[in-house]
């Protein structure tokens, strides 16, 4: 493995490894013929670093943004010398996508470190080519080698933005030091409905001083506002460094659009000149897809829920509990996943031959469902969860684990039918970790519907209130490691200083139906 790569800064010219700078002074990038490298001061600039995401055994998405209409030139290699380029392609970054561009790098060797190099070529002046930005990711393995990942959620919420004097978004730097194979962002990747003020008063008398931008000085309603939320986060050097080295599997929750929205909501909220939740969702969704390195072709075009097969040990199911949501009040027709997503999830769980099936949920299960008093059948959003948990039990699907964020504290919940109102399911774990960089909340009361037992939790205490600033150390992420040989899953809940707060090791149960298949299965998704 080589040393750490450096990528472009949002505010300054990019910095690079000197050994790589010389490799760019060529007249060809991979198999793409280019004019001589431009030394013009008018060359395009890569504005917000690079990202990769949705990595599989043989492919991965890469992302960057230019400062003008430009062609993104993509090269990938298995060494950081870029002598063995295995992929070269291009995609245009146009005003229609706010000059963002992303591309799928395919036909990669499984389990290998992949180094990628991006340039932008000015569409109005072909001689003008940006300096390169560099990144890397590891392709998923096809063998049973040990793997690890981190997850969290809730970035730049409650007015806690980037205070450079406090180190910025430090949890990203901590997660990077753990060198995970990938990162699952469980949602609230922006807080479109929270402004970032210039400063906030802290309970200890100090002042928190944010970097401010025009787009983050109001709640997001326009497409430019939503884009501005992602650009704000990418001003943070910790986040950009993390993105350059760790692929992200991104979900969304509610704050990518607005607090607690649902598509059919009759919308009239204070502070908003737009009255349609669906219109805001369309703009928020577009910005999310522009700025997050999701694949273009998940289980249905443009959607967020999808499966990522990460070798024989792990399959990830990323859910979307916002886009297909029914009314927030408890009714018998209150969808959470929607019929299509629920059918997809059941089908893909059943056909999964991976040892561990990790379900990443934007909403903690302990907060889902309201029950009619005395009834054993859930109403409201819990209907589909009850159906799903029953299905998992009766289909003989083993080794499902849920991960989530959203509570703005960290916890280990063991869902036990013996403790539940709805009891037709096998016990399972849900691990909660967040926020990455937002207010820490105090403990919330959990719904009893699926019988969560709190095995561990760490939160703000009630005296600290429900919006404790990130500088007080209660920022959290989860770390999951699957050992290749015994296939044991070890889950560790950590804080911003990388302290281990709690950990457990779970042995996989044998899954006869799955083990009959060889891996990988032919997959449609
Ligand atoms: Fe949140």
């Amino acid at each position: 493995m080589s040393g750490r790569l450096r990528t472009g800064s949002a505010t300054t010219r990019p910095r690079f490894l000197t050994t790589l700078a010389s490799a760019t002074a060529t007249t060809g990038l991979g198999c793409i013929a280019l004019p001589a490298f431009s030394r013009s001061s008018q060359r395009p600039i890569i504005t917000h670093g690079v990202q990769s995401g949705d990595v599989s055994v043989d492919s991965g998405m890469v992302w960057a943004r230019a400062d003008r209409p430009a062609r993104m030139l993509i090269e990938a290699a298995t060494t950081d010398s870029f002598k063995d380029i295995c992929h070269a392609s291009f995609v245009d970054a146009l005003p229609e996508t706010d000059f963002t561009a992303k591309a799928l790098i395919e036909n990669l060797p499984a389990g290998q470190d992949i180094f990628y190099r991006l340039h932008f070529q000015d569409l109005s002046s072909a001689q003008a080519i940006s300096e390169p930005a560099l990144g890397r990711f590891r392709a998923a393995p096809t063998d049973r080698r040990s793997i690890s990942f981190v997850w969290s959620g809730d970035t730049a919420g409650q007015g806690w933005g980037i205070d450079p004097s406090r180190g910025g978004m430090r949890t990203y730097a901590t997660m990077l030091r753990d060198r995970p194979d990938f990162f699952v962002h469980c949602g609230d990747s922006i807080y479109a409905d929270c402004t970032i003020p210039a400063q906030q008063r802290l309970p200890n008398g100090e002042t928190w001083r944010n970097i401010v931008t025009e787009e983050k000085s109001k709640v997001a309603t326009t497409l430019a506002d939503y884009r501005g939320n992602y650009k704000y986060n990418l001003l943070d050097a910790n986040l950009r460094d993390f993105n350059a080295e760790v692929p992200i599997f991104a979900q969304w929750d509610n704050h990518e659009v607005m607090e607690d929205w649902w598509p059919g909501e009759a919308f009239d909220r204070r502070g908003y000149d737009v009255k349609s939740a669906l219109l805001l969702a369309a703009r928020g969704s577009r910005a999310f897809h522009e700025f997050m390195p999701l694949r273009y072709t998940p289980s249905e075009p443009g959607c967020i829920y999808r499966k990522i097969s990460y070798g024989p040990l792990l399959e990830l199911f990323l859910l979307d509990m916002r886009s297909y949501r029914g009314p927030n009040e408890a009714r018998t027709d209150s969808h959470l996943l929607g019929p299509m997503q629920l059918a997809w999830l059941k089908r893909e769980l059943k056909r999964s031959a991976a040892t561990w099936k990790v379900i990443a949920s934007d909403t903690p299960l302990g907060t889902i469902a309201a029950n009619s008093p005395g009834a054993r059948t859930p109403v409201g959003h819990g209907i589909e969860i009850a159906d799903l948990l029953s299905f998992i039990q009766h289909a003989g699907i083993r080794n499902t684990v849920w991960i989530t964020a959203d509570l703005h504290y960290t916890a280990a919940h063991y869902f036990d039918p013996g403790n539940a109102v709805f009891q037709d399911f096998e016990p399972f774990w849900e691990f909660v970790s967040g926020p990455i960089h937002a207010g820490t909340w105090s403990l919330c009361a959990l719904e009893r519907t699926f019988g969560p037992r709190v095995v561990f939790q760490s939160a703000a205490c009630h005296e600290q209130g429900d919006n404790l600033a990130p500088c007080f150390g209660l920022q959290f992420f989860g770390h999951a490691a699957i050992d290749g040989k015994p296939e044991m899953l070890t889950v560790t809940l950590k804080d911003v200083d990388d302290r281990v707060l709690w950990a457990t090791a779970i042995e996989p149960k044998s899954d006869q139906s799955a083990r009959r298949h060889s891996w990988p299965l032919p997959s449609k998704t």
Side-chain angles (χ1 to χ4, degrees):
M1 281 277 260
S2 72
R4 191 162 153 185
L5 299 175
R6 304 295 308 181
T7 60
S9 154
T11 51
T12 60
R13 286 168 69 89
R15 292 175 293 168
F16 306 102
L17 287 177
T18 50
T19 54
L20 287 163
S22 62
T24 65
T26 61
T27 54
L29 296 178
C31 62
I32 304 170
L34 277 179
F37 190 77
S38 169
R39 299 211 172 271
S40 157
S41 60
Q42 296 304 310
R43 63 173 65 167
I45 289 172
I46 298 176
T47 59
H48 292 83
V50 298
Q51 298 185 76
S52 67
D54 284 12
V55 165
S56 73
V57 294
D58 62 356
S59 63
M61 294 293 288
V62 295
W63 175 99
R65 180 179 179 275
D67 65 340
R68 68 192 71 180
R71 173 160 293 187
M72 184 167 81
L73 307 164
I74 305 126
E75 299 167 288
T78 52
T79 63
D80 63 2
S81 69
F82 286 91
K83 284 181 181 153
D84 57 338
I85 291 190
C86 60
H87 172 99
S89 62
F90 64 84
V91 60
D92 292 332
L94 298 169
E96 287 76 5
T97 60
D98 195 28
F99 312 119
T100 61
K102 56 186 183 179
L104 187 65
I105 301 179
E106 295 182 278
N107 302 315
L108 299 174
Q112 289 285 310
D113 285 327
I114 304 298
F115 299 85
Y116 62 92
R117 180 168 61 189
L118 308 178
H119 293 77
F120 279 102
Q121 180 180 27
D122 192 329
L123 291 179
S124 302
S125 174
Q127 304 296 320
I129 298 172
S130 73
E131 290 200 54
L134 306 166
R136 75 175 180 206
F137 61 84
R138 184 173 300 152
T142 50
D143 57 10
R144 292 175 185 273
R145 75 178 61 174
S146 300
I147 52 179
S148 71
F149 66 91
V150 292
W151 85 92
S152 190
D154 315 306
T155 302
Q158 293 75 49
W160 305 113
I162 303 161
D163 182 343
S165 73
R166 298 175 189 277
M169 299 187 189
R170 288 178 50 226
T171 312
Y172 283 103
T174 306
M175 292 194 297
L176 177 55
R177 284 198 292 276
D178 276 9
R179 291 282 163 197
D181 288 311
F182 60 87
F183 167 53
V184 182
H185 197 304
C186 289
D188 292 351
S189 49
I190 60 166
Y191 279 78
D193 52 347
C194 292
T195 59
I196 299 283
Q199 45 184 253
Q200 297 213 86
R201 200 89 178 126
L202 297 171
N204 61 6
E206 294 180 7
T207 301
W208 177 285
R209 297 179 201 284
N210 284 315
I211 292 174
V212 292
T213 64
E214 194 182 334
E215 290 100 340
K216 282 301 295 174
S217 64
K218 64 184 278 288
V219 297
T221 56
T222 68
L223 181 55
D225 294 339
Y226 282 103
R227 288 165 168 167
N229 275 259
Y230 294 95
K231 289 183 213 171
Y232 181 86
N233 292 355
L234 290 167
L235 292 173
D236 185 81
N238 301 311
L239 176 54
R240 290 197 310 277
D241 288 350
F242 183 82
N243 286 343
E245 304 209 34
V246 181
I248 182 173
F249 301 173
Q251 288 180 282
W252 78 351
D253 188 22
N254 55 348
H255 289 284
E256 282 82 356
V257 176
M258 176 180 60
E259 171 79 17
D260 271 346
W261 72 279
W262 59 278
E265 182 180 352
F267 174 64
D268 187 10
R269 299 194 190 197
R270 204 156 57 89
Y272 283 86
D273 51 3
V274 173
K275 304 298 178 193
S276 164
L278 212 49
L279 178 58
L280 293 181
R283 292 169 179 165
S285 170
R286 177 159 171 183
F288 179 79
H289 282 277
E290 286 173 348
F291 279 82
M292 288 296 193
L294 278 75
R295 283 173 187 257
Y296 284 117
T297 53
S299 47
E300 68 181 46
C303 89
I304 291 168
Y305 72 81
R306 62 205 188 279
K307 176 184 85 172
I308 295 180
S309 297
Y310 204 82
L313 296 180
L314 174 64
E315 215 151 49
L316 277 132
F317 301 86
L318 307 171
L319 305 187
D320 176 1
M321 293 179 167
R322 289 291 159 187
S323 301
Y324 314 94
R325 203 178 185 93
N328 281 335
E329 63 267 28
R331 298 187 345 198
T332 53
D333 62 346
S334 296
H335 292 297
L336 190 63
L337 298 164
M340 290 298 291
Q341 183 176 190
L342 182 58
W344 162 82
L345 181 56
K346 288 178 175 177
R347 186 177 70 242
E348 295 302 327
L349 280 169
K350 186 151 193 225
R351 72 185 298 177
S352 175
T355 307
W356 292 99
K357 295 106 184 151
V358 171
I359 303 170
S361 173
D362 45 89
T363 305
L365 295 187
T367 65
I368 296 174
N371 299 286
S372 300
R376 297 187 79 79
T377 305
V379 296
H381 291 147
I383 298 170
E384 290 174 340
I385 299 301
D387 182 12
L388 174 64
L389 295 179
S390 258
F391 174 82
I392 289 172
Q393 150 128 316
H394 294 292
I397 298 162
R398 299 284 178 267
N399 307 320
T400 56
V401 168
W402 294 66
I403 58 171
T404 189
D406 196 49
L407 293 182
H408 292 229
Y409 65 79
T410 188
H413 296 152
Y414 189 72
F415 285 77
D416 179 354
N419 192 37
V421 175
F422 172 79
Q423 298 184 323
D424 187 24
F425 65 93
E426 281 204 352
F428 65 94
W429 284 99
E430 175 192 64
F431 301 106
V432 186
S433 249
I436 298 174
H437 191 82
T440 312
W441 298 348
S442 54
L443 298 171
C444 85
L446 300 178
E447 298 282 348
R448 272 207 57 221
T449 309
F450 304 110
R453 281 199 292 115
V454 176
V455 179
F456 173 81
Q457 56 193 7
S458 177
C461 62
H462 284 287
E463 297 73 50
Q464 291 171 314
D466 259 345
N467 187 16
L468 189 66
C471 56
F472 294 107
L474 297 181
Q475 304 288 297
F476 304 109
F477 67 100
H479 181 276
I482 304 174
D483 198 287
K485 274 271 194 271
E487 302 183 11
M488 191 92 85
L489 169 66
T490 301
V491 175
T492 308
L493 303 180
K494 294 183 156 192
D495 70 9
V496 59
D497 294 312
D498 213 27
R499 277 191 293 241
V500 173
L501 305 175
W502 182 87
T504 190
I506 314 169
E507 212 169 311
K509 293 180 184 164
S510 68
D511 183 348
Q512 294 305 323
S513 62
R515 293 300 168 80
R516 280 203 299 274
H517 304 296
S518 60
W519 194 94
L521 291 171
S523 175
K524 179 174 157 289
T525 303

